[in-house]
Amino acid sequence: MPAPIAITPGEPAGIGPEIVVRLLADQPDAPVVVVANRELMQRTSRKLGSNLRFVEEGDRTAPGEIACLDVALPAEVRPGELNHLNSPYVVEALDRATDGCLDGTYSALVTGPVHKHIINAAGIDFTGHTERLAERTGADQVVMLLAVGALRVALATTHLALREVPDAITREGLAATLRILLDELRLRFGVERPRVAVCGLNPHAGEGGRLGREEIDVITPVCSRFRVDGWDIDGPLPADTVFLPQLADGYDAILAMYHDQGLPVLKRAGFGDAVNVTLGLPIIRTSVDHGTALDLAGRGEADWGSLKAAYEMALDMVVARTADDPAP
């Protein structure tokens, strides 16, 4: 039987604790361990009228008991009110859950939303979940992919200022991103022969160099090399047309060149139900597609659909990996 899945609720003043309680109230027998402050989770459960009881990891014995790896909170939590004193707690919970995945204690990691600004305000260098997980696991390169239904959008660059994006797209880096995407579409998603569309960087994919040379100098050579090697790669394609349903539906994934080239389309297609997946890690990690929603925190109105989708995708990946790597 696979190890349990670790869940980190993220920012304690946001909706993370609430949506975790709602998920587990809906699926009380889920094989999970919540890595968070146990009292915070218990208090949230009571406030939502749930009968869930959060108990120390290893003590779960009765129905309605949820295993919790307790992480200390430095300061009182008030829903909707950020406090930089609690930022080390957020990072510690993430790190402990990640380490548990690395040593086999947990089979996958599902993360709730964090607030990067308040973490940085505490003096902690934190660009995002993706970058932190790559550093913690020693991954050479990772790829952010968001999925809703059959639409999967991967990113060649993630959290960069727009002016930095062209210099960050190199032949070597783009080839590594494509290789990770193709390999994990096969291994994690069961796509035997992936078909991938690669966006251009510039409007109209550069119009033959008139609107920029990145397509000519970088993107086209990489796509051509993969096609020669037998991969089903189309591109570079204009981003303003490749996301049209009649085109996008023919691909297993679309590789966008930067964050806001691909993600607005995906979130428009299914915000609240999309899943963020980090490819290229030695562990399975999925996440919600939304932020901390401080304005909703503590009101019991937060939609937990994305967390449910993230948990179910992680569980599917665990099952697929177990089937692919049977015990001797």
Side-chain angles (χ1 to χ4, degrees):
M1 184 174 181
I5 292 173
I7 299 180
T8 56
E11 169 55 50
I15 63 172
E18 296 178 37
I19 60 177
V20 169
V21 169
R22 290 200 177 279
L23 170 71
L24 298 177
D26 183 67
Q27 303 188 47
D29 296 325
V32 304
V33 173
V34 178
V35 183
N37 182 259
R38 189 158 64 93
E39 176 53 34
L40 171 66
M41 297 308 301
Q42 193 61 59
R43 188 165 64 246
T44 304
S45 179
R46 288 195 300 267
K47 188 170 183 178
L48 292 175
S50 167
N51 293 322
L52 293 179
R53 297 180 302 281
F54 289 83
V55 300
E56 282 291 337
E57 185 179 15
D59 292 344
R60 178 177 176 174
T61 58
E65 290 185 343
I66 304 298
C68 184
L69 175 61
D70 193 25
V71 182
L73 264 169
E76 180 184 357
V77 174
R78 296 179 179 175
E81 298 181 19
L82 294 173
N83 187 339
H84 73 276
L85 295 177
N86 285 328
S87 293
Y89 154 83
V90 175
V91 177
E92 180 186 352
L94 176 62
D95 288 348
R96 291 177 70 177
T98 303
D99 292 347
C101 289
L102 286 171
D103 68 20
T105 302
Y106 310 124
S107 60
L109 172 61
V110 178
T111 58
V114 298
H115 198 288
K116 287 178 282 188
H117 172 74
I118 201 65
I119 295 175
N120 289 320
I124 301 171
D125 184 15
F126 187 89
T127 307
H129 269 120
T130 302
E131 294 81 1
R132 182 79 180 191
L133 289 166
E135 178 184 0
R136 192 77 178 180
T137 62
D140 292 332
Q141 182 172 340
V142 295
V143 176
M144 180 188 291
L145 178 142
L146 274 87
V148 58
L151 177 62
R152 304 184 186 100
V153 178
L155 302 178
T157 62
T158 53
H159 302 115
L160 287 178
L162 195 56
R163 68 173 67 246
E164 299 173 16
V165 170
D167 290 340
I169 299 173
T170 65
R171 290 191 187 187
E172 295 76 14
L174 186 59
T177 296
L178 256 179
R179 195 169 297 114
I180 291 170
L181 175 59
L182 290 164
D183 286 346
E184 299 235 12
L185 283 171
R186 294 168 62 209
L187 296 174
R188 305 276 200 208
F189 294 93
V191 181
E192 186 172 342
R193 182 174 172 77
R195 188 177 185 209
V196 173
V198 179
C199 295
L201 172 66
N202 297 294
H204 304 168
E207 283 193 358
R210 192 175 72 84
L211 298 178
R213 291 195 55 85
E214 285 82 7
E215 287 77 14
I216 295 172
D217 296 337
V218 178
I219 304 173
T220 294
V222 171
C223 292
S224 297
R225 188 195 322 166
F226 274 82
R227 284 193 288 268
V228 168
D229 290 341
W231 294 101
D232 198 348
I233 303 292
D234 287 343
L237 301 174
D240 64 347
T241 56
V242 72
F243 287 103
L244 294 173
Q246 59 266 38
L247 295 179
D249 289 350
Y251 296 103
D252 298 297
I254 297 172
L255 178 59
M257 291 297 104
Y258 56 93
H259 189 280
D260 281 14
Q261 184 183 57
L263 297 196
V265 179
L266 183 134
K267 292 192 175 187
R268 176 64 178 85
F271 185 73
D273 294 310
V275 180
N276 184 344
V277 187
T278 306
L279 307 180
L281 295 173
I283 67 173
I284 293 170
R285 181 261 174 160
T286 66
S287 184
V288 297
D289 72 334
H290 56 73
T292 54
L294 296 171
D295 58 324
L296 292 177
R299 294 165 53 181
E301 300 174 1
D303 187 340
W304 50 279
S306 181
L307 182 65
K308 180 181 180 182
Y311 167 72
E312 290 176 346
M313 183 175 290
L315 189 60
D316 287 344
M317 290 180 171
V318 170
V319 171
R321 182 180 63 187
T322 303
D324 194 50
D325 185 24

